[in-house]
Amino acid sequence: LFVAGAAVGALVRGAATPTPGSVPKVVASEGRRGRMSPYLVSIALLTGVTAVATVIVDYLFKTVAVASYPDKEELAAFFLLFHALTGGVGLFIQWFATGRVIRRFGILGGLLMLPVSLSVGSVAALLNPKLLSVILAKGSEQIVKQTTHQTSLQLLWVPIDTAQKRLSKPFVDGTVKMAAEGATGLFIFVAERLIPFPAVLRWLSAMALGLVGVW
């Protein structure tokens, strides 16, 4: 489904190119044929690496949770409590801390909070893939990604020309992200069948930690 979504996104991106005369000449003459600048490539790589790392962390979290709570009702209660707590903490941070963090440390500081928090969780899951360690990894990803990281990521698009943004942002936020998530899902599917459990959890934790280094 992710691959199909990425393909549809690419097709729609081509079909949605403004026709000459409907927008300023700079858009009609350069919009579709213009190459992505190094700055845009960096945003695309950041988006792709984020997608891969978060899919791995999500898989680790759900796999360990299912193993820890074999009873369906207990598992449902655990997920409910986890998402309620992370949602509440995330809402508090978004209201009272995100703006202050970005003003104090800048966009780079806001972006670095997610890989730093994920690295702590990934190291914990690598050393001991138990419920507490994956809660640390997933909880930090769930909270930070939706607050300081997402806000900082959107601010990266502010300096980009409106015409270029109209063409590049759907490609980066849609096609690149979905392709990265789909490829990661396929990789995990194969890894599960080649590496015995729970060793596969440590391998994936190491991979997430390596991605944080690239990040």
Side-chain angles (χ1 to χ4, degrees):
L1 287 175
F2 278 126
V3 173
V8 171
L11 291 174
V12 171
R13 177 172 174 261
T17 302
T19 55
S22 64
V23 290
K25 291 182 178 180
V26 64
V27 182
S29 61
E30 299 179 6
R32 187 173 182 179
R33 295 190 299 271
R35 294 182 177 180
M36 292 178 65
S37 66
Y39 183 76
L40 283 172
V41 171
S42 297
I43 296 178
L45 289 173
L46 175 63
T47 301
V49 170
T50 303
V52 174
T54 52
V55 167
I56 291 176
V57 169
D58 186 64
Y59 167 80
L60 293 173
F61 171 70
K62 291 177 179 176
T63 301
V64 175
V66 169
S68 302
Y69 293 98
D71 182 76
K72 293 182 179 180
E73 292 184 0
E74 291 182 353
L75 180 64
F78 166 73
F79 281 140
L80 176 63
L81 179 62
F82 173 83
H83 288 292
L85 289 175
T86 55
V89 173
L91 184 62
F92 178 84
I93 292 176
Q94 186 69 6
W95 277 352
F96 300 106
T98 298
R100 294 174 180 173
V101 168
I102 294 176
R103 284 194 296 269
R104 175 66 178 84
F105 300 103
I107 296 177
L108 181 59
L111 288 172
L112 284 174
M113 289 189 67
L114 184 55
V116 168
S117 61
L118 273 181
S119 65
V120 175
S122 297
V123 169
L126 177 63
L127 297 177
N128 189 17
K130 299 295 184 181
L131 186 60
L132 183 59
S133 60
V134 295
I135 286 177
L136 177 63
K138 179 62 179 178
S140 60
E141 178 262 323
Q142 186 101 344
I143 294 170
V144 177
K145 183 181 178 182
Q146 301 302 327
T147 54
T148 55
H149 177 81
Q150 187 63 26
T151 301
S152 301
L153 187 62
Q154 294 307 315
L155 289 174
L156 289 179
W157 290 94
V158 173
I160 300 174
D161 176 75
T162 303
Q164 182 65 54
K165 186 187 304 182
R166 187 183 295 119
L167 294 170
S168 301
K169 199 171 190 302
F171 173 73
V172 172
D173 291 345
T175 306
V176 171
K177 182 180 178 182
M178 286 191 295
E181 290 176 344
T184 307
L186 181 61
F187 174 82
I188 292 175
F189 178 80
V190 174
E192 279 186 318
R193 282 145 184 79
L194 297 179
I195 305 174
F197 187 88
V200 65
L201 301 180
R202 288 191 169 88
W203 278 97
L204 291 173
S205 299
M207 181 177 175
L209 191 60
L211 285 169
V212 169
V214 175
W215 204 337

